[in-house]
Amino acid sequence: MKQFISAVSLLVPDYDEGLEFYVNVLGCKLIEDTELEPGKRWVLVAPPGSAETRLLLARADGPEQQAAIGNQAGGRVFLFLTTDNFDRDYAAMSEKGVQFLEAPRREPYGTVAVFQDPFGNKWDLIQPA
């Protein structure tokens, strides 16, 4: 039996704002953007080279979901973007205005720096040791 996580739902204030950051700034590929009903879309993006896991950009619906934008992990790092070349991607992301919350650091498990998307979600950019 094979199982894997195919998508992680990520609350965003607006589909197009989410696409602007994840596709145009981070360089994710747009996998699918399908209108399900007026005002509701199925929007999947994936980092370059990602074979299975996608982000489902979900427009927050209602006050409770809107309050959770950027805080789906209670203030902790929520998502981990693994790279095969930390220096290249750190430089490219910095050049595009990605907000890093710390300088890169070396840990026993790899090189890492925390960044934040425009919606408040914290990410690790990490190159495994």
Side-chain angles (χ1 to χ4, degrees), residues 5 8 10 19 23 46 54 65 67-68 71 76 78 91 107 120 123 129:
I5 295 175
V8 174
L10 181 65
L19 287 170
V23 173
R54 313 286 191 238
Q65 290 181 17
N71 195 31
R76 295 183 60 106
F78 178 47
E107 297 289 348
W123 288 71

Side-chain angles (χ1 to χ4, degrees), residues 9-75:
S9 181
L10 181 65
L11 289 170
V12 294
D14 176 81
Y15 296 113
D16 294 327
E17 288 179 51
L19 287 170
E20 172 62 30
F21 179 75
Y22 287 103
V23 173
N24 296 332
V25 175
L26 278 193
C28 290
K29 296 182 308 183
L30 176 61
I31 304 300
E32 184 176 353
D33 186 351
T34 302
E35 185 172 7
L36 301 175
E37 59 187 57
K40 188 172 183 180
R41 293 158 51 185
W42 182 261
V43 180
L44 287 171
V45 299
S50 179
E52 295 174 336
T53 305
R54 313 286 191 238
L55 287 177
L56 173 67
L57 302 182
R59 183 179 53 83
D61 184 22
E64 187 175 344
Q65 290 181 17
Q66 289 170 348
I69 294 171
N71 195 31
Q72 288 180 230

